[in-house]
Every structure is written in structure tokens, then in C-alpha cells.
Amino acid sequence: MIRKLKLQLIIIFIIFCSLEGLELWTSFIHADLLNFLVNLDFHQFGMGALLLVAVYAVFLAVTYMDLRYRSFVKQKIATLWRDEVSEAISNTSYAHFHQKKNHDYIAWFTSDMDQIQEMAVNPSFSLLRGILGIVFSTIGLWSIHWSLVVVVIVEIGILLLLPKVYAKELSKKTVHKTKENERFNQIISDVLLAYDTIFVFQQWQYFKEKIHQASEQLGFTRRNYSKSFAKVAVLGGFGNVLSQISIFLFTGYLVTKGMVTVGAILATTSLAGTIFNAVGNMSQELAMVTSAKPLFEKIHTLPLSTRTEEIEVETLNDAEVLYKIENLQFSYGDTIVLKPFSKTLFKNHKYAIMGESGTGKSTLLNILGGKIEGYQGNVTLYQKELNTIPYSKLYDSITYVEQNPHIFQGSIRENIVFQEEISDEKIWEVLDKVLLKFIVEQLPQGLDTMIGDTSSTLSGGQLQRISLARALVRNPQVLLLDEVTANLDAQTGTEMMQSLLQEENLTILWVTHHLPEELKSLLDEEIIL
């Protein structure tokens, strides 16, 4: 991520250097003004005052630039981080993705990003600014008298040691706070998804109490974190105050010895204050950045799928055998979901997969579609072990249409083609195959009509056919259909499946609970589980 932000970080570095240079200049101007007053040189005092005003004006202009540009960079960091999370999700396996809940991933993109900004990005900028402040101020102190730098170095060493007392405690509570944020998101998501149930049973007190309790627990965790953070802040602040007082007294001693001017007291106090404030804040900021480490490590809990590797795989050929299934079975723990099953499935054949609920029909389809791994037995696709074929190769030829497909908040066109370049002519062609062409043509915006799961001009069955059009537009060689007619009336479902089953260059495996008589003649085989 840092490599992608190289230019932006260089610009921020230059801005910070400008700000610290201007602050150093004002410190010396203040010293000169005091010396002019002591010497009763009012002309020089007036000129110095005008210079001070001009320098402050420039300082404020650069500060405005700093705030605007840092806001831009922070948003860019947020986008890059979310891009990395998206990349990690896209490169993990189907099984690993589903080991976590959706609300966990939502937290990665939302509350975790907020915490990263608060606990890593902002403190990192402050650290950089603080380090530059220390460098510029140290140069300034050295130019006044070298002994001041020696005193400052000794006191910095003491300041850096103090906050380490609570560093481990703060890191531990950060992890706990992150987990509590995830738990809070889970509870809120759960009760909101249950709105219809709450409404029907009029359980608004339960609804409000669940949210209230979750908020109380989150508040307690955050207060507990703030308690540890406050300890670090107070300890650092105590050392800071003592250090600044000691520099003031030491400069006074140098003045009495004639080693520095009276005005140097203002400069050394200001410069030492910059150094000690930076060091005091640095310990807190380092603690925050360190405690944010678990947030960055979350992304590594999604291992890279071996099936994203581009190994050499032959393209689908003209061999008759498509799938060869031998003693295939699958279990969730001790529960057998799919009993031992063997079958040879041929290219361009049409199969209906039937059976009672719980016999593993959808599980079989998920295995053949590459979603479920960890099965027992062997499954080959064109003589290649199924679970070794990279997803990118597998889904070039196979398309899985689930029973309850997701419809995105977007246009009909977007839901069918995503971001691929597919002609409208092709889209209308597949909409005709799923009996939606006439319906979409009647919509005011046609293919640009906005649809979605929660708000749509189309019915559930029509939305299901949109997902089928999404599959057909990519010219699959194998179509895996899981109860795709479940939300359709009998006539529409039959007409649509007639159209699909008559496609000569298409293999279809169709899971269904109901097989109309008029479709049986179009099938090559009915598989009963």
C-alpha cells in the first residue's frame, strides 16, 4: 500500500517540513523580539512584529493545505485498504469465505476501517510530524547552546520508557474492542433481519432491549479501552511537564552565566515544548499503531486458494464423458448429507436430479459446481480431478444458478453482464429464452430499469429469471440449475425449461422437486437420490 502512496507521502513530508520550519522561525523571532525590548530597540521590535505576522499568515495557509491534503490521502488509504480486502476475498476459496459470517466482512469494510484511520493512519501522520518537529527543534536548540540538546536527550530517554508500562494492556484491550465491534454488528444485523418477525409478533420491547444491551456492552468495552489509553496519556503528560520545567530552569541558568541571551528563554521553552510534546504524544501514538496490528492481520485469516493458481488445464474437448463420479459422499461432521454416489455424466445430455428433501441434491450440485470441497470419493471433469481445476478455468465453462440468487441494486443490464462488454442484442436474445423479453421491453427504462432484492418492479420469479439470463449470456457449456422454476408458475416454468432442454450444445443438470410430464421426453435421464 505504501508503494502506491509514494508521491502522496512525499508531498505530506514536504508540507510537514514547511510547517516545522515555519514554527522554528517563529521561535527565533519571539526570542529576537524579547531581546529588542530588553535593549529598548523599538524600531527593530516593530519590524520583527510585522515579520512575525507575515510568517504566521504563511503558516496558516500551509496548515489549510495540510488539512485538505491529508483528508484526501486518508480517503485514498481507505479505498486502497478496501481494495486489498476485496482482493483477499476474491482469492480465497469458497469454503474459507463461508467460515466467517457476512457481518464479519462488513466490519472489515466499515468499522475496522474507521478504527484503522483512528488508531493507525492518524497517529502515523502525527508521528511523522512529531519526528520532524523533534529534528527541527533540536537543530534550533543546538544553534542556541549545545548543552541544551544533551539535557533534552536524557529527558527524552526517560519519557520513552514511561508508557511501556501499559503497552501490553492497551494492545490486549484493542483486540477485545475489535471483537466487541464485530459482536455488536452481528446483533444489529440479526435484529434488523428479523424485522418482519418482530412486526408480526409486535415484539418492539424485545427489539429495543436487544439493541440497548448490545450498545451498553459496546460502550463498556470502549470505556475500558479508554481507561488504559488515559493511563498512557497521563503518564506521558506528567513526564512532559517536568521536562519542560527543567529546560526553562536550565536556560535561566545559562542566561545568568552569560552563555545565551534573555530572549533565548522564549525560544528554548518553545522548542523544548515542541520536542517533549512530540515525544509524549509519540509514545501514545506508537502504542496505538502497535495495538492496531490485529486489524491489519485479519486479512491474512483468508488463505490464498490453491485453485487461483494458473496451472495448465486442457480446454473442454469433444470427449463424450463430462463428469465421472466414483463413490462420492459428503458429511457435515457426523451428519451424512450425501450418501455414496457414483455416476457418469455425458456432454450435452440433459439430467433431472430428484429425490426427497435432505437426500443431497443441492449438495451434489454444489460439489459438481466446485463450491464444496473436502468430499470423499472422486469427481473428474474431462478426466481432470475437479478440485484441482482453477476457478477461473472451471467457470469459463460451468455456470451455477442457485435457487435464491442475489439481485444487485442496479439496472437489469448490470445484473446480467456486470462490467463485461456484451451487446444489447445478446442480452435481448437470452431474455427471450427465459421469457422476459416482452416484460422488459414494456418497462419505461428497458434494460436500464433499476432492480434489486428489496425494491424492484419485477416479481420474485422474474428476478430469478434475470439470474438465469445472467448465466446464459456467457454461453456456458454446462448449466447447473438448482430449483430455478421454484418461484415460477407451472406454465412459465415448463415453457422456459422446454427452451433450455432443447439446446443441443448444452449440458444441463437440473435439481427439481417437480418434473412436468411434457419435459420428460426432453431429458436423457432422471437421477433419483
Side-chain angles (χ1 to χ4, degrees), residues 488-503:
L488 304 179
D489 62 82
Q491 181 179 348
T492 303
T494 300
E495 290 178 6
M496 185 183 73
M497 289 307 302
Q498 277 180 329
S499 174
L500 294 178
L501 293 172
Q502 288 171 355
E503 292 282 338

Side-chain angles (χ1 to χ4, degrees), residues 34 50 73 95 97 105 129 154 308 375 406 414-415 441 443 470 502 523:
L34 181 57
L50 290 175
V73 173
F97 174 82
Y105 295 111
R129 176 80 184 270
V154 172
T308 60
Y375 51 81
H406 182 78
E414 179 185 340
N415 267 278
E441 284 177 335
L443 298 173
R470 181 190 292 166
Q502 288 171 355
L523 295 171

Side-chain angles (χ1 to χ4, degrees), residues 367-465:
I367 291 173
L368 298 181
K371 288 185 174 182
I372 293 180
E373 300 175 353
Y375 51 81
Q376 293 175 289
N378 296 300
V379 181
T380 59
L381 175 63
Y382 281 101
Q383 302 178 352
K384 188 72 179 179
E385 187 61 39
L386 182 64
N387 58 18
T388 65
I389 301 175
Y391 292 128
S392 58
K393 298 288 186 182
L394 181 66
Y395 295 120
D396 274 345
S397 304
I398 294 176
T399 302
Y400 184 105
V401 182
E402 55 193 322
Q403 181 177 353
N404 297 304
H406 182 78
I407 300 297
F408 295 92
Q409 296 290 331
S411 67
I412 291 175
R413 178 187 284 105
E414 179 185 340
N415 267 278
I416 293 175
V417 305
F418 297 112
Q419 292 182 328
E420 296 180 33
E421 293 292 332
I422 298 176
S423 69
D424 285 3
E425 181 182 0
K426 179 65 177 178
I427 298 173
W428 287 116
E429 179 185 327
V430 297
L431 286 175
D432 191 33
K433 288 182 179 179
V434 298
L435 309 181
L436 272 182
K437 182 179 179 182
F438 177 77
I439 294 171
V440 176
E441 284 177 335
Q442 304 308 305
L443 298 173
Q445 285 79 40
L447 292 176
D448 294 317
T449 300
M450 301 301 289
I451 58 175
D453 281 339
T454 58
S455 176
S456 176
T457 56
L458 302 180
S459 67
Q462 290 166 343
L463 292 175
Q464 192 171 42
R465 280 181 279 167

